[in-house]
Amino acid sequence: MVQRLLAVMLPLLLSGCAGPEAYLVSPALQAVPDGRIALLPFENYSNDVSAPGLLREEVAKRFALRGYAPLGTAETDGKLWTMGITDGGQVPALKPADIGKALGVDLLCYGSLEDFTFQNLGFVIRKSVRIRLKIVSAGTGETLFEAAGKGRDLKVFLNRDEATAAFVVYSVQKLAENMLKHPLRAESDKAMGQVFERLPRR
């Protein structure tokens, strides 16, 4: 019975394991003299309400490592709040020029969390993170950079005893990661790494 169930589920679980995606880097990105960048609130297409905020802070650190100067998220959010923006889903309603003027920067980072999943089904453990980032010039509205990254971990257990033990182990792991506010850390790091390895240093 278990083998039959896995035969049905595995093609679905593995369907997202395609090769690297295309990405965009405009020559105009390096020509921008000011490396300050505002990380706008992420759009969230996952079922985890806290993950976009956690990943946004990690993305800010990675921008700094690439030579950019990210504005503080609290400062960014405060100014966006005065424009009526309280979450990432509202950001596309504003023109980049208006956001740039309010924040005093030309580089705007739009982010979307497309997947943030930790499924513990006993016989199948699936962890998946997918993030997309886009840098837009507030002055011209041009997309200067866009890339997506994903981190996945899939484990299948055919033995019932192994599956039972794995269910307990991964349940504890998930609880510990949530307590430390680093859920799906390895998968998130991999997804962000795929994005930032394509971003030119300043």
Side-chain angles (χ1 to χ4, degrees):
M1 177 65 183
V2 172
Q3 284 80 2
R4 292 178 184 174
L5 179 61
L6 291 175
V8 174
M9 292 178 60
L10 280 178
L12 298 175
L13 294 172
L14 294 171
S15 61
C17 296
E21 296 184 57
Y23 61 97
L24 167 71
V25 180
S26 169
L29 177 61
Q30 294 292 77
V32 177
D34 188 350
R36 291 180 301 155
I37 186 168
L39 276 67
L40 308 179
F42 289 1
E43 293 188 81
N44 187 17
Y45 298 100
S46 77
N47 294 321
D48 192 309
V49 296
S50 63
L54 295 174
L55 263 64
R56 188 179 172 208
E57 295 297 335
E58 292 300 316
V59 165
K61 295 176 184 177
R62 291 184 180 246
F63 267 115
L65 291 174
R66 302 296 284 188
Y68 293 80
L71 298 185
T73 54
E75 176 187 354
T76 298
D77 291 349
K79 292 180 178 179
L80 289 175
W81 184 85
T82 65
M83 303 173 73
I85 300 298
T86 57
D87 67 70
Q90 299 172 304
V91 171
L94 293 179
K95 295 179 179 179
D98 294 335
I99 300 176
K101 182 178 180 181
L103 299 178
V105 298
D106 185 49
L107 295 178
L108 306 175
C109 175
Y110 293 76
S112 59
L113 182 58
E114 298 177 348
D115 188 18
F116 198 86
T117 302
F118 192 142
Q119 286 182 324
N120 188 345
L121 306 176
F123 288 95
V124 178
I125 310 293
R126 186 175 76 92
K127 297 188 284 184
S128 178
V129 175
R130 178 179 168 84
I131 187 172
R132 180 177 298 275
L133 298 180
K134 179 171 67 172
I135 298 176
V136 173
S137 166
T140 65
E142 177 188 357
T143 297
L144 305 178
F145 173 83
E146 184 171 8
K150 58 187 175 184
R152 293 170 58 88
D153 185 21
L154 176 66
K155 289 183 172 59
V156 179
F157 302 91
L158 300 179
N159 178 281
R160 184 175 297 275
D161 291 338
E162 290 179 352
T164 301
F167 181 85
V168 174
V169 169
Y170 281 97
S171 294
V172 172
Q173 179 187 354
K174 183 177 182 180
L175 178 61
E177 288 182 346
N178 287 341
M179 290 177 63
L180 295 172
K181 296 185 177 181
H182 289 303
L184 297 175
R185 183 59 183 263
E187 294 73 27
S188 297
D189 284 347
K190 183 176 180 181
M192 290 185 290
Q194 290 176 0
V195 173
F196 280 92
E197 71 183 4
R198 295 163 175 164
L199 178 67
R201 293 182 181 273
R202 291 194 61 85

